[in-house]
């Protein structure tokens, strides 16, 4: 049997790089693609020596050419944190619209199965809790998250259209908050923000009163869900995330305890359109993929903290502060 070949877009990012590792482990030939706007080659440099790994420095919003056959495509290119998409809203819109169109066109000519990375952001600030795949969402198209949320909603729509019209084998994952090693310390998201602050001896910046909730999934669990969905025959969206829900205040307290820091939580204004609660209903993933998360928050946070602790002082001090809309 010939070796399977997979293209991974956004391969130098947090999730993309973990996917490269996983598919190399599965014995596939991995073609990694990234324009390095938010990705970092450090995340995949350990793979460059491998015979079955290649890297293309390319922006998928432009025509994509990959020589040879492809069995699978994973479309994970996109800025994915509020700090990034506030800074580069047009690239954010383009990568999930034009970029997805290019990826689907490539999948069509290569007869490859394609999985696109959608997000819990398609639910916006949800009126249904926990969120099931049937919920249509509550998104503000002209708010600060609009460029990300609407682009991802378009991504889902065009993916369905390619499935219906061109019979491309498509898979759609809706990813909830995920964390783990290789997250960017300065991407503005709550976990790297809190751990970075704890390590620098600063107070932890809690937005609002911290009563908003999130549900955090460890990256290895997410990658396993992605693998199972790709190998399944299910083409409608599937939520993958950890249903263990926590308020941001409790989360900050957990980080302070874990790091042994003796700083405190301070309250800053809540950014506009910040979802008040978020927890995936994962019944579908359980039923269709036999998937559920295995790594507890305590275990996952410990591994992630050890990773951030191992970074250099320079990396630790590269901080960007979030703008308040
Ligand atoms: N948050 C916070 N302090 C920070 C960064 C984020 O309290 O320094 C809050 C943010 O307002 C949100 C939650 O943590 O309610 C998760 O934010 P994140 O940016 O990680 O992800 P998202 O809002 O997209 O789920």
């Amino acid at each position: 049997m010939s070796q399977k070949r997979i293209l991974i877009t956004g391969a130098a990012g947090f999730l993309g790089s973990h996917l490269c590792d996983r598919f190399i482990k599965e014995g596939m030939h991995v073609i990694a693609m990234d324009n390095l706007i938010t990705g970092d080659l450090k995340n995949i440099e350990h793979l460059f020596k491998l015979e079955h790994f290649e890297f293309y420095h390319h922006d998928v919003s432009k025509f994509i050419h990959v020589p040879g056959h492809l069995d699978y495509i994973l479309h994970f290119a996109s800025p994915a944190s509020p700090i990034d998409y506030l800074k580069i809203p047009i690239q954010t819109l383009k990568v999930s619209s034009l970029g997805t169109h290019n990826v689907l066109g490539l999948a069509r000519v290569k007869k490859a199965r394609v999985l696109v990375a959608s997000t819990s952001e398609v639910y916006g600030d949800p009126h249904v809790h926990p969120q099931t795949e049937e919920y249509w969402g509550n998104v503000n198209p002209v708010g600060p998250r609009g460029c990300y949320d609407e682009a991802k909603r378009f991504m889902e729509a065009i993916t369905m259209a390619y499935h219906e019209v061109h019979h491309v084998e498509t898979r759609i994952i809706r990813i909830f908050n995920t964390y783990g090693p290789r997250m960017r310390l300065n991407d503005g998201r709550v976990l790297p923000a809190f751990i970075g602050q704890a390590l620098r001896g600063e107070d932890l910046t809690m937005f609002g009163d911290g009563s908003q909730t999130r549900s955090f999934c460890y990256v290895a669990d997410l990658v396993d869900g992605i693998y199972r969905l790709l190998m399944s025959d299910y083409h409608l969206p599937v939520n993958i995330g950890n249903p263990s829900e926590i308020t941001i205040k409790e989360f900050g307290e957990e980080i302070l305890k874990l790091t042994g820091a003796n700083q405190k939580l301070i309250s800053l204004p809540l950014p506009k359109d910040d979802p008040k609660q978020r927890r995936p209903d994962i019944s579908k993933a359980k039923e269709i993929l036999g998937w559920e998360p295995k790594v507890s928050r305590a275990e996952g946070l410990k591994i992630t903290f050890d990773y951030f602790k191992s970074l250099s002082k320079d990396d630790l001090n590269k901080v960007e502060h979030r703008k308040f809309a």
Side-chain angles (χ1 to χ4, degrees):
M1 212 174 58
S2 69
Q3 189 184 31
K4 299 279 187 211
R5 288 163 55 88
I6 185 166
L7 168 68
I8 302 177
T9 76
F14 162 50
L15 297 182
S17 66
H18 284 283
L19 288 167
C20 289
D21 288 340
R22 172 67 189 256
F23 283 90
I24 286 283
K25 259 198 206 117
E26 295 294 335
M28 294 196 195
H29 182 95
V30 172
I31 300 161
M33 191 172 276
D34 206 297
N35 66 358
L36 302 176
I37 288 192
T38 56
D40 190 336
L41 283 179
K42 263 194 212 146
N43 292 334
I44 47 172
E45 67 188 1
H46 59 288
L47 300 173
F48 275 72
K49 60 180 182 294
L50 302 179
E51 189 189 342
H52 293 298
F53 178 82
E54 45 186 316
F55 176 73
Y56 285 46
H57 185 191
H58 181 68
D59 178 351
V60 295
S61 306
K62 309 210 170 87
F63 181 82
I64 309 168
H65 176 69
V66 176
H69 80 275
L70 281 177
D71 299 282
Y72 304 109
I73 304 177
L74 300 179
H75 184 32
F76 276 71
S78 174
S81 84
I83 218 167
D84 289 333
Y85 44 78
L86 280 172
K87 223 183 325 169
I88 44 172
I90 297 171
Q91 284 98 324
T92 303
L93 279 154
K94 283 169 74 175
V95 71
S96 289
S97 55
L98 307 179
T100 305
H101 189 203
N102 290 334
V103 161
L104 290 166
L106 182 70
R108 185 182 172 205
V109 295
K110 299 283 185 187
K111 298 189 172 33
R113 183 180 298 173
V114 56
L115 181 148
V116 299
S118 185
T119 162
S120 54
E121 284 287 321
V122 300
Y123 301 123
D125 190 3
H127 290 154
V128 166
H129 192 72
Q131 292 78 55
T132 62
E133 290 86 351
E134 283 68 40
Y135 177 51
W136 294 351
N138 173 41
V139 169
N140 175 4
V142 295
R145 291 172 181 251
C147 62
Y148 185 64
D149 301 6
E150 294 296 359
K152 291 290 190 180
R153 289 168 70 96
F154 174 87
M155 166 194 265
E156 292 196 8
I158 193 171
T159 300
M160 290 302 292
Y162 265 71
H163 175 78
E164 299 298 332
V165 177
H166 296 307
H167 311 293
V168 173
E169 282 192 60
T170 55
R171 307 286 179 266
I172 301 173
I173 181 176
R174 291 189 181 147
I175 300 172
F176 283 66
N177 295 65
T178 301
Y179 69 96
R182 303 187 194 148
M183 275 186 111
R184 245 170 52 221
L185 196 57
N186 65 357
D187 79 358
R189 277 183 286 194
V190 67
L191 184 141
F194 281 0
I195 294 189
Q197 288 157 350
L199 287 171
R200 289 189 300 272
E202 299 165 6
D203 288 337
L204 272 53
T205 55
M206 175 179 77
F207 297 162
D209 62 3
S211 62
Q212 70 274 33
T213 68
R214 293 294 185 273
S215 308
F216 297 97
C217 183
Y218 185 64
V219 63
D221 281 332
L222 178 84
V223 165
D224 192 46
I226 293 168
Y227 184 79
R228 286 171 188 242
L229 179 60
L230 182 68
M231 296 306 157
S232 78
D233 58 6
Y234 191 74
H235 74 277
L236 293 172
V238 180
N239 288 338
I240 298 283
N242 190 321
S244 162
E245 185 180 1
I246 184 170
T247 67
I248 293 302
K249 182 159 191 260
E250 287 163 342
F251 187 62
E253 283 157 0
E254 270 189 15
I255 300 281
L256 286 174
K257 204 159 150 211
L258 168 75
T259 56
N262 50 17
Q263 297 96 270
K264 56 185 186 312
L265 289 171
I266 50 163
S267 178
L268 294 180
L270 191 66
K272 187 169 184 304
D273 295 344
D274 196 284
K276 275 179 279 308
Q277 49 183 9
R278 195 185 278 154
R279 167 156 62 104
D281 179 319
I282 58 165
S283 317
K284 218 176 212 180
K286 275 189 186 157
E287 187 193 317
I288 296 168
L289 312 176
W291 178 89
E292 62 184 321
K294 294 199 176 71
V295 182
S296 69
R297 203 168 50 241
E299 283 172 86
L301 283 181
K302 169 87 181 64
I303 301 169
T304 311
F305 176 53
D306 289 345
Y307 166 79
F308 282 125
K309 241 184 359 193
S310 73
L311 297 179
S312 69
K313 266 223 147 43
D314 274 0
D315 282 335
L316 200 58
N317 288 325
K318 271 187 225 144
V319 222
E320 284 187 59
H321 291 286
R322 196 146 138 188
K323 280 187 257 158
F324 297 98

